[in-house]
Amino acid sequence: MQIPETQRDVTRMPMPIFLAAAYGLAWLVALPLWLGDGLSSPWFTLVAVAMMFTPTVAALAVVFLVEKPQHKARALGLVPLRPAGRLVGHLALGLTVPILLCLAALPIGHLAGVFPADFTGLSGFAQITEEQLAQVGVEELPLPIETLAALQVVNVLIAALIINLLPALGEEVGWRGWMLPRLMRFGPWGAIGISGVIWGLWHAPLILLGYNYPGTPGWLALAAMVGLCTVMGGVFGWLRLRSGSVWPAALAHSALNAAASTYVIFIAADATFDPLHATITGWTGWIVPAVVVVVVVLSGRFAARAPR
């Protein structure tokens, strides 16, 4: 049966509307930074968090006003929450895998000569901690530096599970909850590549102000953000598709944001590095997640699991 032209037009509407809304709202929310003090604005954190909810707003607009499916929560990846065992397993992966990837980036960057590390003495972490304590009048470390490093890891877990989760969900409902399944018609590689470009360029309102890659030309910073979003988006997408839920991807996104700064534990004293080359934001940090994504795709696991 031939589909009428008007109906075919409607089927093509959701994605462009979603992208226009997500991008347009992101620039609108970030506009005060561009009109004011940029990243040094006292409103930066509030603006950045608010911007993270724009993909969900865009997805909600499409689902409720354009697609109007019978099961709207399912269309957004919020349900089902079963089988419970599978969901819990993927939530555990969502929490741990990004942290491990952030940590794996550090020795690779060190071997490549782009991340000056002190993995045994933690001299840089001790230096940073002492400077912070000196600002509040404390002259000596209250605990051994190894204990403070362990507490830093605990803080990462708390941030991943509590502080960062809601804003991360604000992005993931849009990117992986709604968008990714609709890009799977292009195959795994196409879905990973297209979603990576879309997600990476969406960060432009902040990246062009110097966020993540300070001192880097805007075009190169955006290209780097696309690279990061492509490899990590592949990991998040695998969790979303295999679990059948957006929640593991949201937790993974939250864990990534929390663990991205773990480099401070292992950096050498008086050292600096270029985030374009080192840590999870740089090319040396993309090697391990890229290998994970390649293995997942080639093994046929970058696909929705058959329902039980």
Side-chain angles (χ1 to χ4, degrees):
M1 180 178 67
Q2 185 176 7
I3 301 175
E5 184 64 31
T6 54
Q7 187 173 342
R8 289 202 301 270
D9 290 341
V10 169
T11 63
R12 288 194 291 260
M13 285 174 58
M15 189 63 71
I17 292 174
F18 168 76
L19 294 178
Y23 275 63
L25 288 172
W27 277 100
L28 182 63
V29 169
L31 188 60
L33 301 181
W34 283 83
L35 298 178
D37 298 324
L39 301 184
S40 62
S41 169
W43 299 101
F44 170 74
T45 300
L46 180 61
V47 168
V49 171
M51 184 174 154
M52 293 179 73
F53 288 93
T54 60
T56 286
V57 173
L60 288 172
V62 169
V63 167
F64 280 87
L65 301 178
V66 181
E67 290 182 328
K68 301 178 182 179
Q70 182 178 0
H71 301 291
K72 295 177 176 60
R74 184 182 293 270
L76 296 168
L78 295 170
V79 295
L81 300 178
R82 59 181 189 274
R86 184 170 75 189
L87 179 61
V88 170
H90 284 87
L91 286 170
L93 289 172
L95 176 62
T96 57
V97 168
I99 296 174
L100 294 175
L101 293 177
C102 287
L103 294 175
L106 305 182
I108 293 176
H110 184 62
L111 290 173
V114 295
F115 181 70
D118 181 0
F119 292 113
T120 56
L122 308 182
S123 58
F125 183 55
Q127 182 182 51
I128 294 170
T129 305
E130 289 170 353
E131 291 173 353
Q132 292 174 340
L133 291 175
Q135 293 176 358
V136 295
V138 179
E139 297 182 358
E140 296 183 358
L141 294 177
L143 295 169
I145 194 61
E146 294 81 6
T147 303
L148 293 175
L151 292 175
Q152 185 76 5
V153 174
V154 173
N155 287 337
V156 168
L157 295 174
I158 293 173
L161 290 167
I162 300 175
I163 300 172
N164 296 338
L165 185 55
L166 186 59
L169 183 66
E171 284 196 47
E172 290 304 313
V173 168
W175 303 137
R176 254 64 61 177
W178 183 86
M179 183 181 73
L180 180 66
R182 286 152 184 81
L183 293 177
M184 286 301 291
R185 66 180 184 273
F186 298 108
W189 296 118
I192 293 169
I194 295 170
S195 62
V197 171
I198 291 172
W199 185 27
L201 294 181
W202 170 85
H203 290 86
L206 300 184
I207 296 298
L208 294 177
L209 288 173
Y211 186 68
N212 272 0
Y213 303 98
T216 302
W219 68 269
L220 184 55
L222 274 179
M225 198 65 196
V226 167
L228 171 62
C229 289
T230 299
V231 295
M232 292 307 300
V235 175
F236 297 172
W238 161 61
L239 292 169
R240 190 272 188 258
L241 293 173
R242 297 304 286 177
S243 68
S245 168
V246 74
W247 292 101
L251 183 54
H253 192 152
S254 179
L256 173 66
N257 290 350
S261 62
T262 51
Y263 68 84
V264 301
I265 301 175
F266 301 105
I267 194 169
D270 298 314
T272 59
F273 66 91
D274 188 343
L276 189 66
H277 302 293
T279 77
I280 196 67
T281 62
W283 63 267
T284 56
W286 308 340
I287 295 173
V288 176
V291 170
V292 171
V293 171
V294 168
V295 170
V296 165
V297 173
L298 294 182
S299 64
R301 288 180 170 85
F302 197 86
R305 192 190 298 262
R308 294 180 181 177

